[in-house]
Amino acid sequence: MKINKLYWKISATFLLTMVLVGIVYIFVSVHTARNYFKEVHQELYGDIAQHLVQETKPLANGIPDTTATHDIMHSMMVINPSVEVYLLDTTGKIIDYVVPNSTVKMERVDLAPVKSFIAYGPKQFIVGDDPKSPGEQNIFSAAPIFEHEQLAGYAYIILAGAQYKETTSTLLNSYFLKSGTTVFLTALAGSLLVGLLIIWLITRNLQHIIEMVRRFKEGDTKARIADAGNNDLSVLSTTFNDMADTIEANIEELKSVENLRRELIANVSHDLRTPLAIMQGYVETLSIKNEQLSSGERQQYIDIILGSSEKLARLISQLFEYSKLEAKQIQPQKEPFFIAELAQDVFQKYQILARKKGIELHLDQPQNLPLVFADLGLVERVIQNLMDNALKFTPAGGKVSIVLRESGQSVEVRIADTGPGIPEGEQSAIFDRYRKAPSTSGRSAGAGLGLAIVKKILELHDATIRVQSRLNEGTAFWFHLPAYGG
Ligand SMILES: Nc1ncnc2c1ncn2[C@@H]1O[C@H](COP(=O)(O)OP(=O)(O)O)[C@@H](O)[C@H]1O
Ligand SMILES: [Mg+2]
């Protein structure tokens, strides 16, 4: 509906403009044609007053000599009926005339244009008083009349007299207003038709655009303007389509982020619930059956509760760490340090646990390893997480080793075990958060965050974690840290 209003508005404006242009055109062309005629006429006949004065003696002692002049004046007017001949005295007073109908209404004419005409000649377009039409200016020819070397008066000839006016106005009417108007009206009709067609085409495109914008507004994010590059409003159309693409992409991204967030919340609440439920169960048992329990049983329950709460604490701190890494809130504070010393520390820390699980622990590093440039605390977290896994998955009698090697401008850190290995198909997925071994395998299930944290920390050091694993033979994880000054 709105679009039709727009169409009619534009059309009406266009129509009005065309009509105005037409009126102005007719006015201007008629006016210029008139002036052009007059100018040409004055140039052609401008010196007839001079001829008149030369051929006759219009004045005799200041008095018009009618017998001498009237004949010749009449003859002139017969040849050229548009002229009207007047004789003026030196003050501009009309003292004699030979004009048809004798309808002279003025007694004198202004001498200023007459003098200017005499001074500059007929080449210049000059108009003066028309004695038959007071207030109107007309083209004329003029010449001074001398008697005994003295200025006695002027011959003043109106060139476009009443007869001329009549003729030209009929001429204009017939010629310009008929042929001109026909041509003009045809052109007007033609351009109107073309104009309205173009306006219709443009507004039709606009209608399609508005329709798409409306559909987009109503939630159809797939709405696009067809043939956007080729229609008349291509800049608007392509801009809209680009904008729609961007918005749609943003919405998709938001959706996927939202899905991840939901998944995370679901996983986290599941992981938190399990140890919490265990703790709750044993605490309840302790509280209700406290008297009936042997001290051995009581100690066993308390150990279970302790284990669960430790697990919970570890899980929470891992979650915390991971989300901070994810949100890029942790920036590595890089410094040069001895990776050999760090490896030695970690090795010491895991000795007790390894011994308890019956696992052989090795530390293999050459002398004079260079310093590395990295965040000490974060690198320690990486090695710890890898050691946690190695010790967790390797059965008793197995072997876990930390191996350091200088390699080019960096130091390679490798943690290898003789555990069950990771199936080929799973190797790429273990670094994703919440990717972990099925708890049915009987191992103590972790949160699945350890390797995700490792990956994130190494990303902050522009390093990548790599894995090599063979089923039932063992697994090795390794990464490189830049040597200091290297
Ligand atoms: N040394 C390893 N030997 C065998 N499997 C491993 C080893 N390290 C990691 N994995 C596999 O990768 C998964 C993800 O490890 P991780 O992110 O540390 O989570 P979590 O230890 O909590 O299970 C583990 O659940 C396990 O399936
Ligand atoms: Mg782990």
Side-chain angles (χ1 to χ4, degrees), residues 140-410:
F140 63 89
S141 169
I145 302 168
F146 291 99
E147 262 194 318
H148 318 299
E149 315 276 298
Q150 281 255 323
L151 183 70
Y154 300 94
Y156 184 67
I157 306 179
I158 291 293
L159 293 175
Q163 184 90 38
Y164 173 89
K165 277 185 223 163
E166 243 171 59
T167 323
T168 50
S169 71
T170 44
L171 234 157
L172 280 169
N173 275 339
S174 66
Y175 180 67
F176 272 95
L177 288 186
K178 284 205 186 101
S179 78
T181 315
T182 323
V183 169
F184 175 74
L185 283 181
T186 321
L188 184 77
S191 53
L192 259 181
L193 211 73
V194 172
L196 291 184
L197 197 77
I198 288 171
I199 295 173
W200 178 75
L201 277 172
I202 291 177
T203 48
R204 192 193 52 160
N205 275 322
L206 208 56
Q207 194 165 18
H208 175 64
I209 292 173
I210 290 174
E211 168 68 12
M212 288 305 134
V213 172
R214 191 186 54 74
R215 271 173 51 187
F216 194 83
K217 186 197 85 182
E218 283 167 3
D220 178 5
T221 52
K222 294 263 180 281
R224 294 291 183 280
I225 293 157
D227 206 16
N230 291 325
N231 72 30
D232 299 313
L233 299 160
S234 63
V235 176
L236 178 65
S237 308
T238 44
T239 308
F240 170 81
N241 282 359
D242 291 350
M243 183 199 74
D245 287 346
T246 312
I247 291 176
E248 200 191 359
N250 284 352
I251 290 174
E252 289 306 314
E253 199 186 312
L254 279 178
K255 269 188 197 158
S256 77
V257 168
E258 175 62 16
N259 281 343
L260 276 179
R261 204 181 60 84
R262 264 200 217 126
E263 191 188 324
L264 193 83
I265 289 175
N267 287 330
V268 167
S269 44
H270 175 261
D271 287 340
L272 292 179
R273 211 179 298 129
T274 319
L276 210 59
I278 295 169
M279 285 162 70
Q280 207 170 14
Y282 283 99
V283 171
E284 265 171 19
T285 316
L286 277 173
S287 145
I288 295 164
K289 296 191 184 165
N290 193 18
E291 301 302 313
Q292 294 120 281
L293 292 175
S294 69
S295 65
E297 282 173 323
R298 211 175 294 148
Q299 190 54 49
Q300 191 199 346
Y301 290 2
I302 288 171
D303 286 346
I304 291 171
I305 293 166
L306 213 61
S308 282
S309 75
E310 272 165 11
K311 200 188 241 173
L312 209 56
R314 204 165 48 236
L315 181 58
I316 288 168
S317 80
Q318 270 192 337
L319 266 174
F320 209 61
E321 193 177 4
Y322 180 78
S323 63
K324 277 205 289 192
L325 281 166
E326 176 92 297
K328 300 199 166 60
Q329 276 180 8
I330 292 179
Q331 286 304 317
Q333 309 292 316
K334 293 182 188 171
E335 55 179 342
F337 65 87
F338 286 106
I339 184 78
E341 275 178 21
L342 178 66
Q344 185 66 41
D345 282 354
V346 177
F347 178 74
Q348 293 296 338
K349 264 187 219 160
Y350 281 89
Q351 274 298 350
I352 308 157
L353 181 65
R355 211 170 289 146
K356 211 161 84 185
K357 293 192 75 175
I359 292 170
E360 207 180 306
L361 211 57
H362 284 274
L363 176 61
D364 177 2
Q365 53 181 10
Q367 294 285 309
N368 305 323
L369 264 184
L371 290 165
V372 295
F373 188 69
D375 185 312
L376 175 68
L378 292 178
V379 171
E380 186 174 7
R381 290 287 296 140
V382 168
I383 299 177
Q384 271 176 5
N385 283 2
L386 294 174
M387 286 296 283
D388 281 343
N389 285 347
L391 285 160
K392 179 161 73 177
F393 296 112
T394 305
K399 205 170 93 179
V400 169
S401 43
I402 306 174
V403 184
L404 300 187
R405 287 279 179 271
E406 193 175 347
S407 109
Q409 306 289 356
S410 58

Side-chain angles (χ1 to χ4, degrees), residues 389-390 392-393 417 420-422 430 435-437 443 446-452 475 477:
N389 285 347
K392 179 161 73 177
F393 296 112
D417 64 55
I422 305 165
I430 53 175
R435 203 50 81 97
K436 55 185 180 185
R443 306 157 180 152
L449 279 168
L451 288 180
T475 309
F477 287 94

